[in-house]
Amino acid sequence: MRSYRLKLDLQLFNQEKTEKATPKKRNDSRKKGQVAKSADLPGAFILLFVFASFLMLGNHYSSGVMGLFRSLFEDWLTMELTTENIMGLFLNIVWQVLLLLLPIFAIAMVVGVLGNVVQFGFLLTGHSLKADIKKLDPIQGFKRIFSMRSLAEFLKSILKVTIIALMVYTTIAGEWEKLLLLPMQPIPAIFAFAAKITINLGIKIGAVLIVLAFLDYMYQKYEHEKSLKMSKQDIKDEFKKSEGDPLIKGRIRERQRKMALQRMMQEVPKADVVITNPTHFAIALKYDASQMEAPKVLAKGMDHVALRIKEIAKEHDVVTMENKPLARALYERAEIGDVIPGDLFQAVAEVLAYVYKVKGRIK
């Protein structure tokens, strides 16, 4: 019972999402459009820069508005409308309005794009546009509406509205005396005063919203990192998918090793001599003057592999010769299928000469 409970506790521990996300999971999440971002940050920047543009391009806006109203009261109200000139009048009004609003559109577009790029870089994905039947689940929708995330968004909205209301109140309260005197002011002064208060409020509200949006971005980043966390089992499963099951790979490597060992043992009977340590190393050499420039290593092994090489050599009457320094040097410096190193030619030649003499090749 205790071992079962320990096993269950271990499984639960492996399922806890305590590990940082792997680069692969981060990349997959990014491809799906799941990135840390605050939807309020681009809007706050747009608001601030648009109202800042009113300060920098005030002459453009004022001359555009004055020109539009001058044309309206001096020309358009006195002209005779006909079917021929009504379309031209309409296009003229639309053109002047577009010229007036063009800087606002340009600022909103550029700042909106940059506001997102600054948060998560350049990203184009259509994954969020794919149809997902799970989004139609009323139970899941109900859970999303009454989730902690929705509550946090609601409280964030209340906080923003409260701060903006306080700023509007304090700004108007500071100008209350001037507001009471506005009815006695000329129209240009009234417009100038209204524009001043509006721009001042817009810049202040934009700056405050940027601060709140930045804090929201940090919170969204924290939540995103939390959602990406993986359990130890998740990491193991990902490794198996990307690299293959270690157990299967180990079995494949073991089978390959056995096949290579079997092929090597099949070459031992072709050897001229097997040089031994005598117990730790065994190296099978062959030399054919008509086909080889130097003796070649057919097989080599250590411990039980060396013992097997010597057994096969004995079964096929291959000469076995003990030479500890030479055996160790050949094992460490020559691979199977390679010719022996040049500085070992003399020592190997003496061994082969002795072998040929034993076999009766040299009288």
Side-chain angles (χ1 to χ4, degrees), residues 112 152 154 183-184 226 238 256 273 301 306 311 333 346 356:
F154 175 73
M184 296 177 289
K226 185 178 177 181
E238 182 184 291
Q256 291 174 341
V273 63
E311 290 175 353
R333 299 173 56 190
Q346 182 64 34
Y356 293 155

Side-chain angles (χ1 to χ4, degrees), residues 3 86 98 105 142 156 158 163 189 195 206 218 239 257 259 269 306 318 335 346 361:
S3 61
I86 186 66
L98 286 177
F105 292 153
F142 183 81
K156 184 178 67 176
I158 294 296
I163 293 175
M218 299 304 294
F239 178 79
R257 189 187 69 81
M259 293 175 63
V318 177
E335 298 297 330
Q346 182 64 34
R361 297 186 185 181

Side-chain angles (χ1 to χ4, degrees), residues 120-361:
F120 51 83
F122 186 77
L123 176 63
L124 287 176
T125 177
H127 188 273
S128 58
L129 301 178
K130 293 182 179 178
D132 188 359
I133 194 66
K134 294 180 180 179
K135 295 180 179 179
L136 301 178
D137 187 352
I139 298 177
Q140 295 298 325
F142 183 81
K143 289 181 179 180
R144 284 194 297 268
I145 293 174
F146 295 96
S147 63
M148 289 300 297
R149 188 181 185 90
S150 298
L151 179 61
E153 291 293 327
F154 175 73
L155 294 177
K156 184 178 67 176
S157 300
I158 294 296
L159 178 63
K160 288 193 295 185
V161 171
T162 303
I163 293 175
I164 291 173
L166 287 174
M167 294 181 65
V168 172
Y169 173 76
T170 54
T171 301
I172 293 178
E175 302 289 342
W176 188 250
E177 294 182 358
K178 294 182 179 179
L179 279 172
L180 295 177
L181 297 176
L182 279 183
M184 296 177 289
Q185 300 294 326
I187 292 179
I190 295 175
F191 275 111
F193 178 78
K196 178 183 176 182
I197 289 184
T198 303
I199 294 173
N200 188 22
L201 268 176
I203 293 176
K204 287 181 179 180
I205 293 172
V208 171
L209 289 181
I210 287 177
V211 174
L212 294 177
F214 178 76
L215 296 176
D216 179 60
Y217 169 72
M218 299 304 294
Y219 171 75
Q220 298 295 338
K221 189 173 182 181
Y222 165 77
E223 286 291 324
H224 179 67
E225 290 294 327
K226 185 178 177 181
S227 67
L228 287 180
K229 280 190 174 182
M230 306 172 67
S231 65
K232 295 182 183 295
Q233 187 61 42
D234 292 336
I235 295 177
K236 291 179 181 178
D237 294 341
E238 182 184 291
F239 178 79
K240 288 180 181 180
K241 290 180 182 179
S242 59
E243 301 293 336
D245 192 334
L247 183 61
I248 296 176
K249 291 181 69 177
R251 291 176 179 175
I252 293 174
R253 285 195 296 267
E254 179 64 20
R255 181 170 295 182
Q256 291 174 341
R257 189 187 69 81
K258 288 182 178 180
M259 293 175 63
L261 183 62
Q262 184 177 2
R263 287 194 300 267
M264 183 184 72
M265 293 302 180
Q266 292 174 353
E267 296 293 317
V268 174
K270 303 176 184 178
D272 292 322
V273 63
V274 173
I275 302 175
T276 66
N277 195 22
T279 57
H280 296 298
F281 302 105
I283 297 91
L285 300 177
K286 180 177 179 59
Y287 179 60
D288 187 346
S290 62
Q291 299 180 359
M292 304 176 185
E293 297 180 358
K296 182 179 179 181
V297 178
L298 294 184
K300 72 173 187 176
M302 183 178 178
D303 297 333
H304 68 279
V305 178
L307 180 62
R308 182 59 183 158
I309 290 175
K310 288 188 288 183
E311 290 175 353
I312 295 176
K314 185 177 181 180
E315 293 173 1
H316 293 82
D317 298 324
V318 177
V319 177
T320 301
M321 184 174 180
E322 180 182 336
N323 189 325
K324 295 181 180 179
L326 182 59
R328 180 177 290 276
L330 287 171
Y331 184 85
E332 293 178 350
R333 299 173 56 190
E335 298 297 330
I336 299 172
D338 295 344
V339 298
I340 63 174
D343 58 336
L344 299 179
F345 280 0
Q346 182 64 34
V348 173
E350 293 176 359
V351 171
L352 289 175
Y354 173 77
V355 171
Y356 293 155
K357 185 176 181 180
V358 171
K359 289 183 175 181
R361 297 186 185 181

Side-chain angles (χ1 to χ4, degrees), residues 1-69:
M1 183 67 180
R2 182 176 297 177
S3 61
Y4 172 77
R5 183 175 296 174
L6 181 61
K7 184 177 180 181
L8 182 60
D9 291 341
L10 183 60
Q11 289 177 349
L12 291 175
F13 175 75
N14 288 334
Q15 292 299 326
E16 290 182 359
K17 297 184 181 297
T18 57
E19 307 300 315
K20 289 185 177 180
T22 60
K24 181 179 183 304
K25 182 167 184 180
R26 291 182 182 277
N27 188 44
D28 292 343
S29 177
R30 181 177 176 82
K31 288 180 179 178
K32 294 177 182 179
Q34 298 172 357
V35 291
K37 63 177 180 178
S38 171
D40 298 335
L41 197 59
F45 274 113
I46 290 173
L47 181 65
L48 178 63
F49 280 92
V50 166
F51 277 96
S53 71
F54 292 153
L55 289 177
M56 296 181 290
L57 303 175
N59 291 333
H60 168 76
Y61 292 120
S62 61
S63 61
V65 171
M66 294 300 293
L68 186 62
F69 278 96

